[in-house]
Amino acid sequence: MSDAALAIVKGSFTMRIRAESWLGDTLLADDIPVGDGSESRDRSLNVPEQISLTVPRRAGGYDWSPGTDPAHPLAAYGQQLRIDYGIDVGNGQTEWINRGWFLITESATTDDTVTVNCAGLLTLIDEAKLVAPFQPSTTDTLASVIRSLVEPALTTTFDGTLADRGIPLGMQWDTDRLGAVTEVLNAWPADMTVTEDGYLFIGPISDSGSPVLSVTDDRDTGTVVQWQGGSSRDGAFNTVVAQGEDSAGNQIQGVVYDTNSAGPFYYGGPFNPFPVPYSYQSSLLTTVTQCRSSAAATLKRLRRTSSRKLGVSMVPHPGLVPGDIVSVTGAGLTNAPCVIEAMSLPYSPSEMSLTVRVL
């Protein structure tokens, strides 16, 4: 986003939505008349992105009801929507922010309205179960296995800081393609994100970085920060044990403790003076170092669901996505770094909501 657009979204602004429909390499429609809709993202889900759109049945002399036409722009036969969020920056100019590519999963027509539901591109991997056991070859690596499991549905790119390594002999996955990808990522350890350009990006697991936005509890400027209600010990582990097997067949493990005394679950604190372990096993872990790295990454993932969270209502900001770091002042915090775990962005004038986790 330009500096001008970033300044504008801090207050009220005029917006619009632009959607294109593609079937493979064929552009079916370049300006679908979206009347309303919303976008939700939650990175605790297998497929984080969900989109809902409403489109007038007839507009511009065209019938937007897909009927039984498999090549209609809004049909659910492989059609993908590219969605852009537009901000009026003045002088008749609109700055477009690409929100990504989304697979149409369902379209329904009621009276004069077409309702279109979409999901993130990981749907293609989640629904594509293995029809035969997948066994890596002796030359396969973590990266090549992920490519074999997801391409050509999604083109994969890798962060250059990740250290690739070979796959142990005897690995096999029977049916769950996305589950196999997740197991490889957990053992690496690494994280995956579908980029706004539709690529699957594999990178390090990180909840750090400079805040991309400062959020201050100020109803006059359209922001409300409040603690989310409820708390539970369920899933609140303070220790992770990752188990594997070395080349000689010996059982090995790596143990990581939550030592963050600023959090409520740290080992040795009032939550529990004893270890409360989360344990798992993977044949992809063949050294103690790998076990410890995987355990540390798993602890970070567990904190995405069990740590303290805030709810934020604010003027829509189309540059935000889950995983972004924001600085929060409000609900008893002052310039506290938080990571976005979930969000809901309206595609019409309304409030945006965030769920952020206090780091």
Side-chain angles (χ1 to χ4, degrees), residues 16 61 72 80 82 159 189 191 194 212 228 263 274 305 316 320:
R16 63 170 296 210
H72 190 279
Q80 295 183 15
R82 174 193 157 115
D159 188 284
D191 218 344
V194 177
V212 299
Q228 291 190 340
F274 295 110
T305 57
L320 298 177

Side-chain angles (χ1 to χ4, degrees), residues 84-143:
D84 294 311
Y85 190 109
I87 298 172
D88 185 351
V89 294
N91 299 319
Q93 300 295 313
T94 299
E95 180 168 326
W96 295 99
I97 294 92
N98 181 11
R99 294 301 299 174
W101 290 79
F102 308 96
L103 180 71
I104 296 179
T105 57
E106 183 182 16
S107 297
T109 304
T110 303
D111 298 327
D112 295 328
T113 300
V114 181
T115 301
V116 183
N117 293 323
C118 307
L121 297 187
L122 277 175
T123 302
L124 297 169
I125 312 303
D126 193 29
E127 67 185 11
K129 306 304 179 184
L130 297 166
V131 297
F134 177 82
Q135 295 178 318
S137 70
T138 56
T139 59
D140 267 321
T141 65
L142 300 175

Side-chain angles (χ1 to χ4, degrees), residues 165 182-190 205 240-244 253-256 278-302:
R165 65 175 188 266
T182 300
E183 184 176 351
V184 173
L185 293 176
N186 289 344
W188 198 327
I205 299 173
V240 176
V241 181
Q243 301 170 327
Q253 71 177 30
V255 182
V256 171
Y278 174 88
S279 301
Y280 65 99
Q281 190 277 338
S282 174
S283 298
L284 291 169
L285 302 174
T286 59
T287 69
V288 172
T289 298
Q290 291 173 10
C291 290
R292 288 173 177 163
S293 296
S294 180
T298 299
L299 181 60
K300 289 182 180 179
R301 289 194 181 96
L302 292 173

Side-chain angles (χ1 to χ4, degrees), residues 34-74:
V34 177
D36 200 355
S38 63
E39 169 191 325
S40 64
R41 300 180 185 235
D42 184 341
R43 64 176 185 164
S44 70
L45 303 177
N46 285 344
V47 181
E49 307 88 2
Q50 300 292 326
I51 306 291
S52 177
L53 303 175
T54 57
V55 178
R57 176 166 183 169
R58 290 181 175 82
Y62 187 76
D63 187 350
W64 290 100
S65 176
T68 59
D69 180 6
H72 190 279
L74 299 184

